[in-house]
Amino acid sequence: MVSIVIAPDSFKGTATAEEAALYLGEGVRSIIRDAEITLAPMADGGEGTAATFEGEKLTLQTTDAAGRLSEASYVFDAAEKTAYIDIAAASGLPAVADRRVPLTGDTYGTGVLIADAQSRGAQRIVLCLGGSATIDAGTGILTALGAITSNAAGYALRPGGGALGELASIDTAQLNIPAAAVEWVLLTDVTSPVVGPEGAATVFGPQKGASAEDIALLDAALLHVCDILEVDPTTPGYGAAGAVPVAIHWLSRLLHGDDSHVHVLPGAPLVANALQLDELIPRANLVITGEGAFDQQSLTGKVVGTIADLVADTAAVLAITAGRIDSDPGEGVIAIELGKSQDVATQLYDAGVQIATAYLRISTDQG
């Protein structure tokens, strides 16, 4: 019997990781009918990462990046005293697609989720940094936890990254200390620093609606914040989610005196470990992964690269499917571009058919 593991990322805007795994599996099953198929939808710190962990799904009222009343969910594992929170749940781009807020959007809504999780007993917050609509260096989270960001005249700053160039001090007299003092695990799919050509504003600002003038303003503001909060702006990964790690780093260091309670980690390996893929993949004959677009960055910390690394030392055949394949995935890899159908379910089903057919051909040739 052929053992197959299907572990794709989401195909942003068209299919969740769960849907992608299901549709691919149906296509594979139509060709290899007696296959033993394990569906393991993946994530790398972006949208949908929290849902890959075990726990109770909790939904509450909060605000979106534009400050409008909304609802958002997170996952709480009471036994482990750990909450898994996608920053995209409350502060993500889809909720403000009608009015992007690169200068005024903030992460306050995510801070509401964090405070709620701590009130239920969470001692560790796993914050999944992907898909944010904000570039506020995490100051919205600080505000939600009771801190007040002020300018030199002592007035509270306006929400969002556009005002951060005026930051002079942060008042913590009303800080929610239990929530601020949790263990922080920040999952990211990027290694971007806070500022510069590869920084939060320059690279991700355009997709959040920032103009060239906005980007220049935000980049300077983020550098100023790092200076005020004494955070190294070149730290890899600290540019994730509009530089949210900056505020978290400062907050945790303030309370604990060092950086021991903040951990910035690549998301995909952690999710793979939670799904026990290190045990499943070595026993598989075929491993299928995929994402919206496969390019040079796909093999560096993303879902596809993580799966490829796990397959590398096994006898399994690796298959990759994507809407576009812009780079060579390597020798021996089955690479399938999605078809032109407008129905993503059909596209992924057909990709599963093509992958299964190609795998059988390879097996026959080798056998």
Side-chain angles (χ1 to χ4, degrees):
M1 181 181 295
V2 178
S3 176
I4 301 171
V5 173
I6 303 179
D9 195 358
S10 63
F11 286 65
K12 286 185 173 59
T14 56
T16 65
E18 291 80 4
E19 291 169 340
L22 178 63
Y23 300 147
L24 285 166
E26 290 174 347
V28 169
R29 178 80 67 190
S30 72
I31 301 299
I32 311 176
R33 298 188 179 277
D34 62 347
E36 177 186 2
I37 298 177
T38 300
L39 303 184
M42 276 283 293
D44 55 14
E47 304 95 320
T49 301
T52 64
F53 295 96
E54 293 186 358
E56 179 185 3
K57 181 180 178 180
L58 299 171
T59 302
L60 62 147
Q61 285 195 332
T62 183
T63 56
D64 65 17
R68 300 174 298 195
L69 190 64
S70 64
E71 283 191 347
S73 302
Y74 68 93
V75 174
F76 179 48
D77 185 338
E80 296 295 327
K81 298 181 179 178
T82 300
Y84 301 93
I85 302 174
D86 287 344
I87 200 164
S91 309
L93 272 170
V96 294
D98 60 325
R99 194 190 80 186
R100 297 191 177 185
V101 285
L103 296 181
T104 59
D106 75 352
T107 49
Y108 185 94
T110 296
V112 171
L113 302 184
I114 291 167
D116 183 78
Q118 187 281 321
S119 73
R120 297 174 189 268
Q123 296 178 4
R124 180 187 300 109
I125 301 293
V126 179
L127 194 57
C128 310
L129 305 180
S132 80
T134 59
I135 312 173
D136 75 339
T139 52
I141 292 173
L142 296 185
T143 302
L145 298 185
I148 300 174
T149 56
S150 303
N151 62 19
Y155 293 107
L157 293 186
R158 301 180 306 279
L164 290 181
E166 303 171 27
L167 179 65
S169 63
I170 301 177
D171 183 348
T172 58
Q174 302 300 318
L175 184 66
N176 180 344
I177 292 178
V182 297
E183 190 87 8
W184 298 94
V185 179
L186 310 181
L187 301 186
T188 177
D189 64 347
V190 300
T191 58
S192 302
V194 180
V195 298
E198 304 299 322
T202 304
V203 175
F204 304 107
Q207 71 189 43
K208 301 178 185 186
S211 66
E213 293 78 10
D214 294 338
I215 289 169
L217 172 65
L218 289 163
D219 198 56
L222 290 174
L223 183 61
H224 173 72
V225 170
C226 286
D227 183 52
I228 294 292
L229 301 187
E230 298 182 347
V231 174
D232 183 356
T234 68
T235 306
Y238 271 44
V244 159
V246 171
I248 301 300
H249 177 109
W250 172 83
L251 182 64
S252 189
R253 188 179 57 200
L254 175 71
L255 295 177
H256 296 287
D258 57 29
D259 306 331
S260 61
H261 287 68
V262 179
H263 316 278
V264 180
L265 305 172
L270 194 69
V271 174
N273 183 63
L275 295 174
Q276 299 182 321
L277 291 181
D278 56 334
E279 298 178 12
L280 292 170
I281 285 177
R283 300 198 295 263
N285 303 107
L286 171 64
V287 178
I288 303 171
T289 187
E291 60 183 346
F294 178 85
D295 54 30
Q296 291 181 342
Q297 294 188 21
S298 297
L299 297 177
T300 57
K302 303 281 189 177
V303 164
V304 171
T306 297
I307 299 302
D309 289 343
L310 289 171
V311 171
D313 296 326
T314 73
V317 173
L318 175 64
I320 297 170
T321 185
R324 296 194 328 271
I325 297 180
D326 298 331
S327 297
D328 182 1
E331 185 177 355
V333 177
I334 298 171
I336 302 295
E337 279 195 352
L338 298 184
K340 301 304 181 183
S341 169
Q342 296 300 308
D343 178 28
V344 69
T346 300
Q347 290 178 317
L348 289 163
Y349 179 93
D350 290 345
V353 169
Q354 294 178 65
I355 288 169
T357 302
Y359 170 75
L360 291 178
R361 184 167 58 249
I362 290 171
S363 299
T364 301
D365 292 343
Q366 292 178 344

